[in-house]
Amino acid sequence: MSDLVATELDARVLTVTMNRADKKNALTHDMYSAIAGALERAHGDGRIRCVILTGAGDSFTAGNDLSDFAAGMPQGKPPVVRFLEAIVNCDKPVMAAVNGPAVGVGLTMLLHADLIYASEKATFRSPFPHVGVVPEAASSMLLPLAVGNAWANDIFLGGRVLTAAEALSAGLVSRVFPAASFMEECRKIASTVAAQAPNAMLQTKRLIRANRESVLERMRKEGAIFNEQLKSPEFMIAAAAYMQRRLPEFD
Ligand code: COA
């Protein structure tokens, strides 16, 4: 397992922490594999009744590591795909504890969490076309369903950065807690969830997430377009601009 992802099992709650604070927890291939491994473990391990996914330091995650994007995908199933499949298929309740900025896949992964809470310091942004790519993680289908077209287009097309209060009013998160007590509040809720009847919990989650096949199908469709975009001049322009800390110019 990557040391950039920390896991801790305590009282039936598995906490998975994206642990690359100096890079705002930007996700590398190894980190996706490590989180996928933790979710697969949670799925199959009867001792785990709830998973908390959070970030170290002041960020949730700045999304995919942009250098990894530029370097292309490794051979075989891309780790990001393994991660997305693992979060879609995990039968245990997954809580996203959004402690700071959630960018790109940092936002879209929330659509696969069952419980989504934000610190008052959290922000949310998924400006895919602005970085030369398209929405992933079935977010082109799930975000409009979760928050409606107006918010979804503001996020994707407008590149809008949502505050925690805006994410709450949009319905992207269900509660906002003060930063100082954030993880404590999340852990309290996770303990309550972990104490519920496990089979009833599992069946309830399966009923709520009954559209799994269409979600996976949308992910595949998005993935094909995403990969084409990654090879495009548009992405090169956006990635170079990000590295040079300036705005991209698309002619
Ligand atoms: N991939 C690689 N490195 C990243 C990264 C990413 N997605 N996001 C941040 N970093 C790195 C920065 O390059 C910087 O590295 P350096 O210290 O070696 O220069 C470090 O993390 C700190 O980032 P910085 O932007 O200076 O921090 P900030 O506090 O000003 O802003 C964020 C934090 C999360 C708001 C900002 O980094 C951000 O928006 N990143 C997202 C980038 C992105 O477009 N992601 C993909 C979307 S599809």
Side-chain angles (χ1 to χ4, degrees):
M1 174 163 297
S2 165
D3 58 0
L4 298 178
V5 173
T7 57
E8 188 195 5
L9 179 58
D10 182 32
R12 297 174 174 168
V13 176
L14 181 71
T15 302
V16 181
T17 306
M18 296 172 276
N19 192 22
R20 195 188 179 206
D22 59 327
K23 297 288 181 192
K24 306 294 169 185
N25 303 320
L27 291 161
T28 61
H29 299 310
D30 283 352
M31 290 169 76
Y32 282 124
S33 297
I35 303 169
L39 290 165
E40 287 158 4
R41 174 185 165 204
H43 178 75
D45 186 337
R47 291 170 308 163
I48 299 172
R49 304 273 174 85
C50 184
V51 179
I52 301 178
L53 189 53
T54 193
D58 61 7
S59 303
F60 183 63
T61 168
N64 204 102
D65 185 287
L66 287 167
S67 323
D68 265 17
F69 258 163
M73 290 295 169
Q75 292 287 312
K77 181 184 278 194
V80 62
V81 173
R82 182 179 160 205
F83 159 67
L84 291 173
E85 288 179 358
I87 198 166
V88 170
N89 290 327
C90 184
D91 268 343
K92 304 294 168 56
V94 176
M95 175 192 296
V98 187
N99 54 309
V103 188
V105 72
L107 187 160
T108 59
M109 73 169 75
L110 306 180
L111 302 164
H112 303 285
D114 306 292
L115 302 155
I116 313 165
Y117 305 125
S119 149
E120 62 193 355
K121 293 202 169 152
T123 56
F124 302 81
R125 188 166 72 101
S126 267
F128 292 108
H130 296 232
V131 288
V133 291
V134 296
E136 26 72 309
S139 60
S140 60
M141 180 171 95
L142 296 176
L143 189 63
L145 284 175
V147 302
N149 278 332
W151 280 108
N153 287 329
D154 221 2
I155 293 167
F156 284 152
L157 305 184
R160 167 97 173 262
V161 184
L162 267 60
T163 61
E166 287 169 333
L168 183 65
S169 76
L172 185 59
V173 307
S174 65
R175 294 199 227 185
V176 177
F177 294 110
S181 57
F182 180 59
M183 282 315 293
E184 191 189 328
E185 297 289 354
C186 289
R187 283 198 192 96
K188 259 194 260 169
I189 300 168
S191 303
T192 310
V193 169
Q196 307 306 310
N199 190 50
M201 186 63 84
L202 184 148
Q203 297 297 346
T204 303
K205 176 163 176 171
R206 279 188 190 156
L207 288 164
I208 292 173
R209 301 259 164 193
N211 63 344
R212 201 172 274 185
E213 273 317 308
S214 54
V215 166
L216 292 169
E217 180 51 37
R218 177 60 67 101
M219 276 183 190
R220 284 188 279 273
K221 201 169 176 180
E222 290 170 343
I225 305 172
F226 197 104
N227 287 338
E228 283 309 305
Q229 278 300 124
L230 276 187
K231 291 180 235 152
S232 73
E234 289 187 351
F235 175 72
M236 306 302 163
I237 290 168
Y242 177 78
M243 295 304 173
Q244 293 160 17
R245 297 190 175 263
R246 58 173 174 77
L247 288 174
E249 282 178 40
F250 301 106
D251 292 329

